[in-house]
Amino acid sequence: MDHGIPSGVVGQEVVEAVEELVTLWFSAVEDIRPRLPPRQIRALGAVRRGPAVNVSALAQHLRVGLPTASRLCDRLESAGLLRRRVREAGDRREVRLEVTAQGHRILGDVNELLSLRLATAFAGVTPARRTRLEQVLRAVHGDLLPDRPDLGDSAAGDR
């Protein structure tokens, strides 16, 4: 934090910066084809990042109810972006989610568009300030966000 700036002003600047970052993410999501709702993109990303994710863990991660997460997975599966796999032959209740090749392509498209838009947005920022921004964002992501459920730790099988 800059010591010469009152904390309320810094807070407002952070809010505005976050709003701009969110706007960039949404614009990238809106410009991919096929067009998917942001929640579906978030779900695909969560499944891709989490090892052995099931619907229960996804629901916790997205902070939605199990029926909502299940319907979301149904839509993604119907679109060929996600698949459900039975973990072991002996326990058909243990269903894991996997992103398909097409789902990976869409996530790659979002990341590519977002990276281009971020590069444009930060073109005038000095390398030192960019490094500082990266450090702050990593701290927020890793240390300051409220605990989010670990996608790999859901003990309950999906039915």
Side-chain angles (χ1 to χ4, degrees):
M1 177 165 110
D2 294 333
H3 294 286
I5 302 173
S7 62
V9 173
V10 172
Q12 184 59 38
E13 289 174 347
V14 169
V15 167
E16 290 171 4
V18 168
E19 287 175 353
E20 290 300 319
L21 290 172
V22 169
T23 299
L24 286 174
W25 184 83
F26 273 100
S27 74
V29 168
E30 288 174 1
D31 287 347
I32 61 158
R33 297 295 175 259
R35 193 169 184 187
L36 298 173
R39 184 178 277 173
Q40 289 184 11
I41 297 293
R42 286 188 59 229
L44 283 174
V47 171
R48 180 183 65 184
R49 283 187 303 276
V53 177
N54 63 25
V55 178
S56 297
L58 181 62
Q60 284 183 306
H61 179 77
L62 296 176
R63 299 176 196 257
V64 299
L66 191 55
T68 300
S70 183
R71 285 190 303 273
L72 180 61
C73 290
D74 290 343
R75 284 189 220 88
L76 290 169
E77 193 172 29
S78 293
L81 305 174
L82 186 78
R83 79 174 130 284
R84 291 178 168 111
R85 294 258 189 223
V86 175
R87 185 171 180 191
E88 295 179 18
D91 186 2
R92 296 192 50 84
R93 295 174 299 164
E94 189 66 29
V95 177
R96 298 297 180 184
L97 304 172
E98 296 176 357
V99 177
T100 65
Q102 185 179 358
H104 281 287
R105 183 192 57 79
I106 287 175
L107 290 172
D109 290 350
V110 170
N111 287 338
E112 184 177 332
L113 280 172
L114 182 57
S115 292
L116 289 171
R117 290 180 183 163
L118 286 170
T120 300
F122 294 131
V125 178
T126 66
R129 290 189 78 187
R130 257 183 290 183
T131 299
R132 174 98 195 273
L133 176 60
E134 283 183 36
Q135 291 169 341
V136 168
L137 290 173
R138 284 189 179 129
V140 168
H141 179 71
D143 299 333
L144 301 179
L145 288 177
D147 289 335
R148 292 183 0 182
D150 182 0
L151 289 174
D153 283 351
S154 180
D158 293 319
R159 289 164 179 72

